Amino acid sequence: MSDSFRAELRQWLEANLPPSTRGSLPEQEIPWGGRHPEYPNPDTKLWLERMVARGFTAPTWAKQYGGAELSPEQDRILKEELQRLQARPALFSFGLWMLGPVLLEYGTDSQKAEFLPPIARGEIRWCQGYSEPGAGSDLASLSTFAEDCGDHWKVNGQKVWTSYADKADWIFCLVRTDKDAPKHKGISFLLIDMNSPGISTRPIKLISGNSPFCETFFDDVKVPKNQLVGKVNEGWEIAKKLLQYERQNVSAAAFGGDNSFPLHQVARLSEGHDQGPIVDPIKRVAVAKGEMREQALSYLVARANREMGAGRISALTSVVKVAAAEINQQRQELAVSLLGMDGLGWSGEQFDSRALKETRAWLRSKGNSIEGGTSEVNLNIIARHILRLPQEP
Ligand SMILES: Cc1cc2nc3c(=O)[nH]c(=O)nc-3n(C[C@H](O)[C@H](O)[C@H](O)COP(=O)(O)OP(=O)(O)OC[C@H]3O[C@@H](n4cnc5c(N)ncnc54)[C@H](O)[C@@H]3O)c2cc1C
């Protein structure tokens, strides 16, 4: 059964994966979808359309929500076959990775029917409104307030570090709906259209030179009542579940063992050649150790993916998150040190463009141990929920 599925899939992929959507994915070609999608390479759009038509952007979701109803085993085979062909992801989406899975569990039938198919088709770009100036690791201290106004909520407050808020169509947002309840018990989970009057964003510039995230302000924003997910004041459970999906999908996909420019290529670049063994024995050993770490991480990710495919999402995602952050940061440190002075370039024709990319990737990796919950916070989760260590007095 799985052999025939693999054979049919292989045939379909060979026929439908455009050659220019294989291999490393340049940042400007990332297929974020949304209301105003940008496809500098038309094949990226074609690839997305073909994957959508098969339900393969959300392979395990029900067909009525735009999925393909694949079993966990078939989903694994699909991932393997895509990887074998070095297929670029057809869609990058916080909706697919984070919101969709919690809507499947906590959404009403009408919320699922309204939001899941456009997510699977890449028609809505979502951002995540969790962190606030006074609530990061201690997320439950958030103070953005949603006032019950009878037929709608009125939202006031501020979020921070909202990745791509200035480009997103909708935001999934944690808001306080009861100021008097214990802090975890007065939080609700709202879906808000970024076009709503009263929402504004201000980009924040990063050390890597990019501005991928923003401050997001809510000023008397009116939100229809039916955009609340789950029950009023019970959003904390949804918030935690979504973080587990974030840690698994986003951390692993974004920086886990799948660097498009392998370390041995960086070492060759540093020695001025493209082929053959790395000449310097010290570099050779460092690269071998680094690539072994990445390989080990890919097995850990695969194991967590298998659990997730079987409908189990757990604190194991914190292990993946901590390991992926650490291994990617080690990888980036090694890459810039292999490149020597060339690893410290910022711009200019004297630098190889691949080396410039490495410098920025190294700077970007500093955030890996912060985003999606810091490594310290995830180690606390591992101590409590996996190792079951006693809490501090
Ligand atoms: C690249 C990037 C993208 C992001 N994207 C988003 C986004 O899209 N949406 C969003 O809502 N947020 C986003 N964030 C924010 C991120 O979730 C927070 O930065 C993170 O949760 C940490 O919060 P903080 O920055 O307020 O740090 P703090 O909570 O102030 O932590 C400061 C330091 O104290 C440590 N610390 C805090 N509490 C404990 C504890 N109990 N035990 C041990 N150590 C502790 C932390 O580990 C950290 O080292 C993003 C962050 C980054 C870097």
Side-chain angles (χ1 to χ4, degrees), residues 94 127-133 135-139 159-164 206 213 246 364 367-377 380:
F94 289 4
C127 63
Q128 177 186 31
Y130 272 34
S131 309
E132 297 185 3
S137 300
D138 185 13
L139 185 59
K159 297 288 170 181
V160 73
W161 317 124
T162 328
S163 298
Y164 309 109
L206 281 190
F213 50 30
E246 174 178 8
R364 172 62 184 82
N368 294 164
S369 44
I370 304 172
E371 60 200 296
T374 66
S375 290
E376 290 80 7
V377 164
N380 281 342

Side-chain angles (χ1 to χ4, degrees), residues 20-21 30 45 67 77 96 122 135 165 200 241 320 324 355-356 363 388:
S20 71
T21 59
I30 292 179
K45 183 164 180 277
I77 293 172
L96 273 184
S200 56
K241 191 57 90 65
V320 175
L356 290 178
L363 290 169
R388 311 235 174 246

Side-chain angles (χ1 to χ4, degrees), residues 107-126:
T108 60
D109 286 345
S110 69
Q111 285 171 338
K112 289 181 201 174
E114 180 179 354
F115 292 108
L116 292 175
I119 288 176
R121 293 193 297 265
E123 291 168 357
I124 306 179
R125 186 165 177 180
W126 288 89

Side-chain angles (χ1 to χ4, degrees), residues 202-231:
R202 195 160 60 195
I204 302 169
K205 203 158 191 158
L206 281 190
I207 192 175
S208 61
N210 291 340
S211 298
F213 50 30
C214 300
E215 294 173 286
T216 307
F217 302 91
F218 300 85
D219 189 10
D220 285 345
V221 177
K222 218 171 145 177
V223 181
K225 275 280 169 79
N226 62 3
Q227 285 168 210
L228 180 125
V229 180
K231 296 195 181 125

Side-chain angles (χ1 to χ4, degrees), residues 206-210 342-348 351 356 359-360 363:
L206 281 190
I207 192 175
S208 61
N210 291 340
D342 288 339
L344 297 175
W346 187 247
S347 61
F351 295 106
L356 290 178
T359 314
R360 289 177 190 239
L363 290 169

